[in-house]
Amino acid sequence: MIFGTPNSTFLENRLASSTGMPFSSATSLSSGVDQMMNELNIQQPTSHTVLFDLSWEVAKKVGGIYTVLKTKAPVTVEEYKSRYALIGPYNPDTAPTEFEPLIPGPLSSPIIENMMKKYGIHVHFGKWLVEGYPKVFLIDLHSSMHKLGEWRWDLMSGFEQPGDNETNETIVFGYQSALLLKEFAEANPNDKYIAHFHEWQASVGLILLKKWKVPVSTIFTTHATLLGRYLAAGGVDLYNQMQNLNMDFEASKRGIYHRHWIEKKSAADSHVFTTVSEITGYESEHILMRKPDVILPNGLKLDRFTALHEFQNLHAKYKGILNEFVRGHFYGHYSDFDLDNTLYVFTAGRHEYFNKGVDMFLDSLAGLNKLLQQSGSKMTVVAFIIMPAATNNFNVESLKGHSYLKDMRRTCNTIVEAMGERLFEATSRGKMISPEELLSQEDIVMLKRRIFALKQKASGPPVVTHNMINDNDEILQHIRKIKLFNSQEDRVKIIYHPEFLTSTNPLIPLDYTEFVRGCHLGIFPSYYEPFGMTPAECCASGCPSITSNLTGFANYMSRALPDTDSKGIFIVDRRFKSSKETVDQMTQYLWKFTQLDRRQRIELRNATEKLSELLDWRTLGKFYKTARALALERAFPPKPISRSPSPSPSSSLKLSSGLSNAIELQQQQQSIVTPSTTINLIPPSSNITASTSTSATSTSATSIPIVAPKSNVIPINTGKENISLLSPSSMSSLLSDSLNESKKQQSKTPSTSTSTSSTTAAATNKPVLSNPTPTPSPNTSSFIPTNKGSATATTSIPTSNTTNGKPINPFEALSKSNSSGNFATTSTASVNTINGNSSSGTNSPVTKSIPIPSSKSLK
Ligand SMILES: O=c1ccn([C@@H]2O[C@H](COP(=O)(O)OP(=O)(O)O[C@H]3O[C@H](CO)[C@@H](O)[C@H](O)[C@H]3O)[C@@H](O)[C@H]2O)c(=O)[nH]1
């Protein structure tokens, strides 16, 4: 099966050969994972395997899933070539910039025609205009809207909600996409199809494929649970209450039972169920009633720089554009703005005030403002909030400032040009020119007028760049409460930009990734964050960030790294601290960040950027391979197994060789270990290691050793019994080990001076941050919890892999070169001086103890 005509693949081939890195040349970081995949018998897809990703966000940006699919596209195209395509709804608004129509190839062409002839469904075929140029089938929802009533009744009669337009569209897309997949599967019975559904909005088709018994293997990934998001945003103490809630009832109470049902049914009906982090895996178990089979951490497409200073240059370049914005916004209002002493911090993403931790972001900025004021600091911190909200376009005040500035620049350029002419004229006549003659009276008048106009701004520099439709917007309300109104005496200025950034933006003409590069620090203290693309993107751009220990990203990174602080990933505690304490901790991080000098910030950026390999799809894409292999095996078992009844979620399917055989063996062995513990499948060549005091080691005669870490496992769900295949700790062990290996290799090769300094800093345990300057507060308590930074020292890691016969314990290896945690060293700053209001606005539940599996609970 090939999508597209030979011509339609021409451009992609050229692009891949000119810019794409060959898959085989991926760095040594992935070697450990490669080995694991080989040992787990994960095969490359055959020429008869066809893969589809289905999502609402194909060629349409809504949030993080768009980023996941877009950045994953190059490696998936490389792996599946023309046997990969995405399916999404056709969106006439975004199609012109995201999609280019193509003539379908000889195999997909009759299917597209059939869709129209048999069902009246209009399918657009073409390529998505992102790197890798994957093929896409975009389905026109309107061509089937007349079927809505019939389909909705067929799917959910008795509990449908006809007024819910989002679900209506979801249902229509579900039937359309299932019909499309059915056509493919029927037309090509020799091909094996994998349909990977992302999020409930795209997954009705999965339910139908199972119902119609279409031979397609299915994967369902929930990037967040619907109800989890609702509960968290609604102030429910989600992680502590989860076990006690009747989820169906909670969904009904909120009028979203029908949506919740789609999500739950998709999880139940899929051959393989996955999510993006352990924390969401735990949540899925309670909300969707199924443990994920595999955890698929999100990756990114990384920019490769030949020299380390290149990305530092990009920072300078994009910071220059932010400087221009700041001039236009603030100059003329007050005269003490020093751009050399200004830091840019930001938060960004979906507009979820509480879930994304905007409340804490603002409270900690209020605290920082006080600290800076009291210390007499001349530093200015400009804090951006990039979160879309309903607006009536940019506000006049913001635009005016920028047009004044542009006018001023034009005037200066004209005057300079005229001065040059005068200078040339005089000197070519052999005459010296006086400064008075150089700058004419006319010039002076012109300049005075501009200065006057600049100072005539009616009010202070606006906090919001747009006219908000909802004046009661929670973010606005909070800014009012903490009174950060960009007054002259405030050291922290706020810019709320309620729209995603684009390079055509009249105020900040930068794409989001460029904006991230231009900033100094990203701040994402989320309460509900299954993974968190925003801190991951920061890392990939070498921008340090603050995030919370309730995010999948923080969990993933802190498992892979012994000391995240020294690498520019600061993790605040939202699990074991009260809201006020978390805000204090964040304020301290911010305060200390403002105390770094330029050289220290450069070193920190270098350290952060080096971590990006951990997030490379070339590495993480391999967990997708695991999920696909498992889905194929469950859907297309080579031969039925007589030894035990099929444990597949789909009762009609039987497990067979390869992965499933291994799983079966595990099932047999499970009976001899503590029933409540989960099991790791270790490659046969590995050493057996009891990873915790509660571990149970198999005494079975079989050759596969078993390790039973308490809860740090990625469960493999084979129906009722849950069998583990890959544990996140072994996963990150492999990653960090490879990272360590690649570091060793790097240190053997000559590098630029910047890279040398940062490598040295990390390797010699030298803190990047020198002792902080005396703080305005008399309180000298340390702000870092004493157990911080020790996550991997005591985390139990099964030595589940070997290199040349030697067991790998990457965390041990890494901890030897662990720098001493520059941010976790002595701190004398305190936030006792923070305005009493500052954290009172945080309406989060006090999360004293959250019983979720994570690095912390494993210590
Ligand atoms: O001006 C901007 C600002 C942000 N972004 C993007 O917006 C996305 C926001 O990502 P995230 O906060 O992760 O998105 P959500 O929509 O909340 O995504 C869900 O799905 C993601 C993918 O699995 C998970 O990481 C999240 O935790 C989960 O909530 C990021 O990729 C940013 O690049 C832009 O494109 N332009």
Side-chain angles (χ1 to χ4, degrees):
M1 165 60 63
I2 292 185
F3 302 125
T5 58
N7 270 347
S8 71
T9 56
F10 172 70
L11 187 60
E12 294 85 297
N13 291 339
R14 279 195 34 197
L15 193 100
S17 58
S18 60
T19 60
M21 209 175 95
F23 200 69
S24 55
S25 70
T27 63
S28 63
L29 178 63
S30 57
S31 60
V33 180
D34 275 334
Q35 186 187 345
M36 179 175 66
M37 295 297 162
N38 292 339
E39 285 167 358
L40 288 173
N41 200 18
I42 308 291
Q43 305 294 336
Q44 285 297 318
T46 68
S47 59
H48 285 289
T49 314
V50 182
L51 172 67
F52 289 101
D53 270 311
L54 292 95
S55 164
W56 203 253
E57 301 198 31
V58 175
K60 184 190 176 199
K61 182 178 284 180
V62 180
I65 298 171
Y66 175 92
T67 310
V68 169
L69 296 175
K70 175 183 154 179
T71 57
K72 188 173 71 64
V75 288
T76 319
V77 168
E78 205 163 306
E79 189 185 353
Y80 281 81
K81 309 276 184 307
S82 304
R83 288 169 289 104
Y84 172 60
L86 298 106
I87 301 176
Y90 178 78
N91 188 308
D93 296 333
T94 54
T97 50
E98 297 264 1
F99 169 75
E100 188 180 309
L102 291 173
I103 299 163
L107 292 169
S108 41
S109 168
I111 286 162
I112 293 174
E113 281 167 20
N114 266 351
M115 288 293 285
M116 180 49 92
K117 265 195 239 150
K118 285 164 84 173
Y119 315 109
I121 297 174
H122 185 193
V123 179
H124 299 256
F125 173 76
K127 64 183 171 192
W128 190 4
L129 299 176
V130 295
E131 197 177 333
Y133 295 105
K135 301 295 176 312
V136 286
F137 294 87
L138 299 181
I139 311 179
D140 183 0
L141 297 185
H142 295 292
S143 58
S144 304
M145 275 329 251
H146 59 284
K147 301 281 283 180
L148 170 65
E150 181 192 326
W151 285 344
R152 193 175 50 215
W153 185 87
D154 177 53
L155 184 74
M156 47 171 65
S157 71
F159 56 93
E160 67 266 46
Q161 294 273 343
D164 179 353
N165 287 336
E166 191 180 340
T167 308
N168 289 342
E169 291 191 339
T170 290
I171 294 170
V172 170
F173 176 68
Y175 276 78
Q176 291 178 321
S177 53
L179 288 170
L180 181 63
L181 288 166
K182 182 169 160 287
E183 286 297 313
F184 271 118
E186 284 173 0
N188 307 286
N190 292 332
D191 287 338
K192 286 181 179 170
Y193 286 89
I194 309 169
H196 190 152
F197 297 82
H198 298 265
E199 218 61 347
W200 71 274
Q201 287 100 327
S203 69
V204 167
L206 187 159
I207 300 169
L208 298 170
L209 290 176
K210 168 126 191 251
K211 188 170 161 186
W212 300 341
K213 298 189 170 49
V214 180
V216 170
S217 57
T218 57
I219 304 173
F220 177 54
T221 298
T222 187
H223 292 255
T225 70
L226 187 70
L227 192 55
R229 235 186 236 291
Y230 264 77
L231 292 171
V236 172
D237 185 0
L238 180 67
Y239 300 105
N240 283 321
Q241 289 305 314
M242 216 180 288
Q243 307 88 325
N244 309 324
L245 298 174
N246 176 332
M247 295 302 175
D248 290 350
F249 173 71
E250 293 298 326
S252 305
K253 225 165 61 176
R254 288 163 178 79
I256 55 163
Y257 175 77
H258 57 302
R259 295 181 178 200
H260 168 68
W261 176 86
I262 294 175
E263 194 173 64
K264 194 169 149 187
K265 181 97 175 114
S266 305
D269 284 359
S270 56
H271 290 112
V272 171
F273 171 50
T274 82
T275 183
V276 292
S277 62
E278 275 180 292
I279 192 165
T280 313
Y282 173 76
E283 182 189 322
S284 302
E285 217 181 316
H286 289 280
I287 295 181
L288 304 180
M289 311 312 285
R290 182 170 173 186
K291 265 189 179 184
D293 297 301
V294 187
I295 302 286
L296 304 177
N298 287 332
L300 285 168
K301 171 77 181 59
L302 301 183
D303 293 326
R304 307 272 168 188
F305 297 106
T306 43
L308 249 185
H309 63 262
E310 276 185 61
F311 89 93
Q312 298 284 2
N313 292 346
L314 287 179
H315 167 63
K317 178 177 162 189
Y318 298 128
K319 192 179 75 181
I321 296 176
L322 291 177
N323 284 346
E324 198 67 1
F325 164 78
V326 163
R327 285 190 189 101
H329 203 83
F330 293 101
Y331 279 22
H333 287 288
Y334 25 77
S335 51
D336 65 342
F337 218 109
D338 174 11
L339 283 177
D340 280 338
N341 206 11
T342 298
L343 292 180
Y344 298 137
V345 305
F346 74 101
T347 194
R350 199 188 277 266
H351 190 117
E352 287 183 10
Y353 164 77
F354 177 72
N355 283 357
K356 296 283 182 193
V358 185
D359 51 347
M360 291 197 170
F361 171 79
L362 288 169
D363 284 340
S364 60
L365 287 171
L368 177 69
N369 190 42
K370 285 267 183 264
L371 290 178
L372 290 170
Q373 283 175 336
Q374 288 173 9
S375 65
S377 172
K378 293 278 173 256
M379 165 83 62
T380 305
V381 174
V382 179
F384 294 90
I385 304 167
I386 314 287
M387 287 191 168
T391 67
N392 283 324
N393 226 320
F394 294 95
N395 61 40
V396 177
E397 267 314 297
S398 298
L399 291 171
K400 247 194 211 168
H402 292 276
S403 67
Y404 286 152
L405 196 84
K406 278 191 185 143
D407 185 36
M408 180 72 89
R409 197 174 276 289
R410 255 198 316 270
T411 308
C412 290
N413 288 343
T414 315
I415 292 174
V416 167
E417 220 174 276
M419 283 165 79
E421 277 301 314
R422 270 174 235 139
L423 191 62
F424 174 73
E425 188 61 25
T427 47
S428 58
R429 286 167 186 253
K431 193 184 144 204
M432 270 311 289
I433 191 165
S434 70
E436 290 75 31
E437 287 173 291
L438 205 56
L439 193 65
S440 72
Q441 273 308 311
E442 266 176 36
D443 294 339
I444 293 173
V445 171
M446 261 206 304
L447 286 174
K448 278 189 172 167
R449 276 197 192 134
R450 302 298 181 285
I451 294 171
F452 183 73
L454 202 67
K455 289 188 171 172
Q456 285 308 298
K457 291 179 177 173
S459 49
V463 165
V464 196
T465 51
H466 292 56
N467 295 316
M468 298 286 291
I469 287 178
N470 176 14
D471 191 47
N472 292 324
D473 175 87
E474 287 165 306
I475 299 177
L476 275 187
Q477 301 264 40
H478 201 121
I479 294 170
R480 286 183 192 122
K481 195 163 69 190
I482 57 175
K483 298 189 173 61
L484 277 183
F485 296 135
N486 293 344
S487 58
Q488 176 147 13
E489 57 278 7
D490 285 331
R491 301 303 342 137
V492 175
K493 319 286 185 197
I494 303 281
I495 302 291
Y496 178 16
H497 187 282
E499 187 184 341
F500 276 168
L501 296 171
T502 59
S503 54
T504 52
N505 185 307
L507 299 183
I508 308 173
L510 290 173
D511 278 337
Y512 178 64
T513 41
E514 297 168 342
F515 170 79
V516 174
R517 284 196 189 281
C519 284
H520 295 95
L521 182 73
I523 306 176
F524 315 101
S526 303
Y527 177 76
Y528 183 80
E529 195 68 271
F531 192 80
M533 294 310 285
T534 42
E537 287 158 341
C538 275
C539 182
S541 303
C543 177
S545 63
I546 299 179
T547 184
S548 91
N549 60 351
L550 288 178
T551 70
F553 170 78
N555 276 242
Y556 174 71
M557 290 312 256
S558 54
R559 279 189 189 286
L561 296 169
D563 171 21
T564 54
D565 279 11
S566 65
K567 310 287 190 300
I569 293 172
F570 311 113
I571 302 173
V572 290
D573 187 354
R574 290 199 71 166
R575 289 181 51 205
F576 300 103
K577 288 185 189 300
S578 69
S579 309
K580 167 106 178 47
E581 286 170 327
T582 309
V583 169
D584 286 355
Q585 191 188 4
M586 240 167 87
T587 309
Q588 297 297 342
Y589 272 132
L590 287 169
W591 163 255
K592 297 199 97 181
F593 193 81
T594 62
Q595 305 306 301
L596 299 179
D597 61 27
R598 189 182 293 261
R599 184 188 56 79
Q600 290 168 326
R601 286 199 305 267
I602 288 175
E603 286 179 358
L604 199 57
R605 295 180 80 83
N606 282 339
T608 307
E609 206 269 344
K610 278 185 190 162
L611 295 184
S612 55
E613 274 195 79
L614 283 172
L615 297 161
D616 195 340
W617 274 126
R618 287 177 190 282
T619 306
L620 296 177
K622 293 172 185 176
F623 296 106
Y624 273 69
K625 287 187 185 181
T626 313
R628 289 177 205 136
L630 195 58
L632 277 176
E633 194 163 281
R634 286 180 177 171
F636 306 106
K639 55 180 187 289
I641 287 176
S642 54
R643 276 185 289 171
S644 64
S646 167
S648 162
S650 162
S651 57
S652 61
L653 302 168
K654 296 245 188 294
L655 286 176
S656 64
S657 61
L659 285 170
S660 306
N661 271 348
I663 290 163
E664 266 205 21
L665 275 172
Q666 297 299 315
Q667 282 179 304
Q668 290 162 14
Q669 290 169 342
Q670 197 181 29
S671 60
I672 58 164
V673 298
T674 323
S676 61
T677 57
T678 42
I679 309 166
N680 269 0
L681 181 98
I682 313 293
S685 58
S686 306
N687 290 356
I688 300 172
T689 307
S691 61
T692 69
S693 56
T694 56
S695 323
T697 305
S698 168
T699 53
S700 156
T702 133
S703 64
I704 300 178
I706 295 173
V707 179
K710 202 171 175 190
S711 57
N712 58 339
V713 293
I714 294 173
I716 289 289
N717 189 327
T718 54
K720 285 190 174 175
E721 293 138 298
N722 290 304
I723 310 291
S724 318
L725 177 64
L726 300 171
S727 91
S729 47
S730 60
M731 184 199 302
S732 28
S733 299
L734 291 160
L735 297 177
S736 46
D737 181 67
S738 309
L739 184 67
N740 212 27
E741 279 301 311
S742 85
K743 266 191 200 148
K744 275 187 209 154
Q745 283 171 14
Q746 275 171 24
S747 67
K748 284 181 198 158
T749 55
S751 58
T752 62
S753 56
T754 39
S755 72
T756 312
S757 62
S758 84
T759 310
T760 316
T764 57
N765 295 352
K766 283 206 181 113
V768 178
L769 176 70
S770 58
N771 271 348
T773 53
T775 66
S777 163
N779 189 325
T780 56
S781 65
S782 166
F783 70 88
I784 305 290
T786 47
N787 60 354
K788 188 100 189 155
S790 60
T792 51
T794 50
T795 303
S796 64
I797 312 297
T799 49
S800 60
N801 214 332
T802 58
T803 308
N804 300 330
K806 283 187 191 155
I808 295 171
N809 190 336
F811 286 168
E812 229 171 61
L814 265 180
S815 61
K816 281 183 197 149
S817 63
N818 174 19
S819 72
S820 61
N822 43 314
F823 266 69
T825 52
T826 54
S827 161
T828 53
S830 159
V831 289
N832 288 350
T833 50
I834 295 173
N835 176 352
N837 280 340
S838 69
S839 59
S840 59
T842 308
N843 62 346
S844 62
V846 176
T847 51
K848 278 292 173 205
S849 154
I850 296 166
I852 51 172
S854 83
S855 55
K856 262 217 156 107
S857 59
L858 294 166
K859 280 179 198 171

